[in-house]
Amino acid sequence: MRKLLLLLAFMTTAQVGLAASKYDNPDTIVVARDGTGQFRTVDEAIEVCRAFMDYHKVIFVKNGTYKEKLIIPSWLQNIEICGEDAEKTIITYDDHANIARPETGKAMGTFRTYTLKIEGNDITLKNITIENNSARLGQAVALHTEGDRLVFIGCRFIGHQDTVYTGVAGTRLYFKDCFICGTTDFIFGPSTAWFEGCTIESRINSYVTAASTPQTQPYGYIFNNCRLIATPDANKVYLGRPWRDYGYTLFMNCELGSHIRPEGWHNWEKHREQTARYLEYNNRGAGANTSQRVAWSRQLTKKEAAKITPKEVFNRNDGWVPRL
């Protein structure tokens, strides 16, 4: 009997020890390549976070270059990954769509090329660079999102074709004061995403956006108070083309550089002129002249534009609005 009691006590103690992980708390985890943090990689820090946390957990990443291909899985939430300095804290990888997959020998394809894939909800990134550093050999995603209520503040997203993929319809994303650069369709997908005060840099003559907004979704991409710039190699760039029939993209109160083409938008396929939702309001700069815009795009009225706010755009039953 005594042996049985001792065994039960040992098992109970072991279970308590497993449940009470020293990282199961709202304290900040520090990641540093030089070994001065608790972990040397971001992936290790993500791994110790408890599933479905009901508290806010910060992973602070010190300056350095972290070559990692990361997934924040669907069972993680309320995590903030915060870099020490956006230009000096870099998560990078170099997959592209035409790399052969080791297990099959077939091309990887666009949707496996991410550097960072976010499947979980209520995830925040601050002051960090997410980069796909592959050569220009095909589509190469830096950020791939699938979660809802995602916030990106002061981040840099670096790549060529398909830099930022907002991958799931109905999910809500908020980008504030971010830098995003790329070549072709470098912001694309079906999500509802608000870009506030962001700088968007085109690297070649191509397309900035490729929204695939579902017909039943009232909003797709909204760029407010953003600045569109270009490298010297880009002087004829479209604001967007619809990846699917009802693609929705709005630029309002933005500065559009001289690299933006006078017609503004491309139809991708002729019939999409009948369904694409391409809108502008109160933009400025050499690329904002609307006198030669395609006939199937539209300028909002002041009254219409006033109704488009984050609260309205993100309106769901949960009442979520980004907290900054």
Side-chain angles (χ1 to χ4, degrees), residues 311-323:
K311 184 177 181 180
E312 166 61 25
V313 168
F314 293 136
N315 184 32
R316 299 285 194 282
N317 294 332
D318 60 5
W320 180 78
V321 176
R323 291 185 216 169

Side-chain angles (χ1 to χ4, degrees), residues 72-122:
I72 300 177
S74 59
W75 56 85
L76 293 185
Q77 62 186 23
N78 296 323
I79 289 176
E80 175 182 321
I81 298 178
C82 181
E84 183 176 0
D85 183 310
E87 295 191 3
K88 297 177 182 179
T89 311
I90 302 166
I91 301 173
T92 185
Y93 213 76
D94 56 3
D95 280 342
H96 62 78
N98 295 311
I99 288 178
R101 295 168 60 193
E103 65 273 24
T104 64
K106 296 180 180 179
M108 179 172 286
T110 302
F111 307 113
R112 297 184 182 91
T113 63
Y114 57 83
T115 296
L116 171 64
K117 182 180 183 182
I118 302 177
E119 299 173 348
N121 300 329
D122 299 299

